[in-house]
Amino acid sequence: MNYLLKNVQPISMNIIATEIIKTAQQETVSHENSIMYIKLYKIMDIDTTKHISTFLKTVIEGGVTKIIIDLIQLSFIDSTGIGILINSAKMIRANKGDIVLLNVSDSIEEIFEPVNLESFIPFYSEKLEAVTFLQNK
């Protein structure tokens, strides 16, 4: 199984999206066999979440059903950001899709603990594990 990484332009200072496209010889790429990979940077708070929220809503409404959100470079998230993750998960699951979080640091995981986010959105530390989980959905 090969993956072609296709870069998408930065959405804002805090988000860059890259689509991971499952490829096979002469296969047509569709939403059913692709996973949207999104990397968040720096801070996800009330001041920065508008662009992220709009982007996630747009791609989900556009038909994307599998999303990996990489938090490796996220240093802070507040309740507004957590709400966007939860609402995105609800929206994508209504379309028979799913969303996972990748590279959740210890400090971010501590922020998630009071709302028990990991029981609602799976966390993975390896991209291959996240891709495998979503491919089996």
Side-chain angles (χ1 to χ4, degrees):
M1 194 175 322
N2 296 318
Y3 293 94
L4 171 68
L5 297 180
K6 180 180 176 186
N7 288 323
V8 179
Q9 293 298 319
I11 306 306
S12 73
M13 289 180 59
N14 295 71
I15 180 171
I16 293 190
T18 305
E19 188 173 357
I20 301 175
I21 303 171
K22 181 181 171 189
T23 61
Q25 292 183 14
Q26 306 302 321
E27 181 181 349
T28 302
V29 176
S30 69
H31 287 303
E32 287 126 24
N33 63 4
S34 64
I35 299 170
M36 179 68 71
Y37 172 82
I38 300 166
K39 193 173 205 176
L40 299 178
Y41 291 90
K42 300 179 185 177
I43 297 172
M44 189 173 172
D45 64 6
I46 196 164
D47 295 326
T48 62
T49 53
K50 182 180 178 189
H51 296 293
I52 297 167
S53 177
T54 301
F55 176 75
L56 287 170
K57 184 177 179 186
T58 301
V59 297
I60 293 168
E61 288 176 351
V64 172
T65 58
K66 298 173 183 179
I67 298 176
I68 296 172
I69 299 180
D70 192 339
L71 305 180
I72 195 162
Q73 299 209 357
L74 190 72
S75 59
F76 178 77
I77 186 169
D78 70 3
S79 60
T80 309
I82 294 170
I84 288 169
L85 295 175
I86 291 169
N87 288 333
S88 295
K90 288 178 181 178
M91 197 180 336
I92 203 164
R93 288 175 183 155
N95 294 326
K96 299 185 179 11
D98 213 344
I99 190 168
V100 300
L101 300 180
L102 180 64
N103 297 315
V104 180
S105 69
D106 291 341
S107 61
I108 298 295
E109 193 167 355
E110 283 180 31
I111 296 169
F112 291 157
E113 279 180 21
V115 294
N116 199 18
L117 190 64
E118 190 171 8
S119 68
F120 188 66
I121 301 174
F123 294 2
Y124 290 93
S125 57
E126 298 291 328
K127 190 184 286 186
L128 183 58
E129 291 174 329
V131 169
T132 301
F133 172 80
L134 289 173
Q135 285 178 328
N136 293 325
K137 290 300 268 181

